[in-house]
Amino acid sequence: MRKIALTALLCIWSLSASAQKKPVLVVPLGQAEFAYNLVKECPAIDVTWIQEKADYIVSWGINEKENRNDWVVYAMDGKVVGSGETMRVSAAARDICRAIVPK
C-alpha cells in the first residue's frame, strides 16, 4: 500500500513539474523595451537572449511610418507560430503570449 501511495505521489509530482516548464522566447539584444513588455504582460513565458536556450524566436520591429509594432514568432525549426501588428508595444506582447502559450 505504501509503495502505491509513493508511486502515485511521484507521478503527480512529475506531472506538475513538467506542467510548470515555461516556453522560452529569444528577444534579440537591443530590444529591451520589447523584452520588458513581454516579461510584464506574459508571465507564462521566460525571455532570454541566448538562442540555444530558447523554444521560440521573435522578430519584432517598429514601423514608424505607419506607427505600429510588427512581430513574427518562429519555432526553433523555423515554422511561423504567429504574427501580427498592433499600435502599442504592450498589446503586441499580449498577442505574442497568446501565440506561444497553449490555451
Side-chain angles (χ1 to χ4, degrees), residues 62-102:
I62 298 172
N63 182 332
E64 292 180 10
K65 188 175 184 178
E66 296 182 22
N67 192 30
R68 69 172 194 240
N69 296 278
D70 299 325
W71 59 271
V72 179
V73 176
Y74 303 91
M76 294 309 286
D77 64 2
K79 180 182 173 190
V80 174
V81 175
S83 64
E85 62 182 47
T86 63
M87 300 295 277
R88 298 178 55 206
V89 174
S90 60
R94 285 190 297 273
D95 291 346
I96 290 169
C97 186
R98 282 188 217 107
I100 294 173
V101 177

Side-chain angles (χ1 to χ4, degrees):
M1 183 70 160
R2 195 172 201 186
K3 245 185 199 180
I4 294 172
L6 182 58
T7 304
L9 183 63
L10 287 174
C11 287
I12 292 168
W13 179 77
S14 67
L15 286 173
S16 67
S18 64
Q20 291 176 356
K21 183 187 178 316
K22 296 180 183 180
V24 180
L25 176 68
V26 170
V27 176
L29 286 174
Q31 295 189 342
E33 179 184 7
F34 301 137
Y36 169 80
N37 277 280
L38 279 167
V39 169
K40 181 180 172 188
E41 298 292 335
C42 189
I45 65 170
D46 286 329
V47 177
T48 184
W49 60 270
I50 302 170
Q51 187 168 340
E52 292 78 21
K53 295 185 177 202
D55 301 311
Y56 302 95
I57 300 172
V58 66
S59 175
W60 192 346
I62 298 172
N63 182 332
E64 292 180 10
K65 188 175 184 178
E66 296 182 22
N67 192 30
R68 69 172 194 240
N69 296 278
D70 299 325
W71 59 271
V72 179
V73 176
Y74 303 91
M76 294 309 286
D77 64 2
K79 180 182 173 190
V80 174
V81 175
S83 64
E85 62 182 47
T86 63
M87 300 295 277
R88 298 178 55 206
V89 174
S90 60
R94 285 190 297 273
D95 291 346
I96 290 169
C97 186
R98 282 188 217 107
I100 294 173
V101 177
K103 294 173 176 62

